[in-house]
């Protein structure tokens, strides 16, 4: 168990904030997509089915704020902007891959447990 003593500067709050950031709907997908290399906004958006322009913008801003993603503006006409993982952002890729691998490996178990839970609880509510 992680306690405030394990986190000297920000206490457990920083752990909670990081978990909230990477646990949102899009951050891990954006990180995993940028692991392939720098991408322009439009290419990144097309690489992530279902993400809106607004949500991608917000996600990139938060990841940039946390220092996981960098935004580089090139002085061309028209201006070109690329997003890339920072050195810090690259350090989160192995745990992201490990978590995705775990999810794929246990997909059937999780689905079976959900089905069993739903059947039991819907039966309780109906009866």
């Amino acid at each position: 168990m992680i306690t405030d003593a394990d986190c000297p500067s920000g206490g457990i709050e920083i752990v909670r904030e990081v978990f909230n950031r990477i646990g949102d709907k899009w951050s891990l997908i954006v990180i995993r997509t940028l692991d392939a290399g720098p991408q322009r906004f439009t290419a990144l958006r097309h690489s992530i089915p279902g993400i809106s322009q607004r949500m991608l913008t917000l996600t990139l801003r938060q990841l940039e704020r946390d220092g996981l993603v960098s935004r580089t503006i090139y002085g061309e006409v028209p201006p070109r902007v690329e997003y890339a993982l920072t050195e810090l952002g690259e350090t989160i890729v192995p745990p992201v891959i490990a978590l995705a691998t775990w999810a794929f490996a246990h997909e059937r178990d999780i689905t079976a447990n959900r089905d069993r839970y739903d059947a039991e609880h819907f039966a309780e509510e109906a009866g």
Side-chain angles (χ1 to χ4, degrees), residues 9-122:
S9 62
I12 199 77
E13 186 65 21
I14 190 66
V15 174
R16 187 187 63 77
E17 289 175 10
V18 169
F19 283 3
N20 282 340
R21 164 67 42 238
I22 63 168
D24 70 20
K25 185 174 182 177
W26 299 109
S27 290
L28 291 179
I29 295 169
V30 169
I31 289 167
R32 187 65 179 111
T33 304
L34 287 174
D35 185 40
Q39 292 192 39
R40 295 176 77 165
F41 184 91
T42 303
L44 191 56
R45 185 166 174 225
H46 290 311
S47 297
I48 305 172
I51 194 167
S52 68
Q53 180 173 335
R54 179 179 182 278
M55 190 52 60
L56 180 55
T57 298
L58 292 172
T59 301
L60 287 167
R61 283 183 185 161
Q62 287 301 314
L63 292 171
E64 185 179 4
R65 181 175 182 247
D66 289 342
L68 301 175
V69 168
S70 65
R71 179 177 183 258
T72 304
I73 303 170
Y74 295 92
E76 302 171 356
V77 178
R80 178 171 54 108
V81 178
E82 284 187 347
Y83 296 89
L85 291 178
T86 62
E87 285 185 36
L88 179 62
E90 290 173 0
T91 66
I92 201 168
V93 172
V96 168
I97 292 170
L99 185 57
T101 301
W102 178 89
F104 287 132
H106 297 284
E107 178 183 12
R108 288 185 184 168
D109 295 330
I110 293 168
T111 301
N113 287 327
R114 287 177 177 175
D115 291 345
R116 184 173 40 258
Y117 179 92
D118 291 348
E120 290 171 5
H121 285 81
F122 289 134

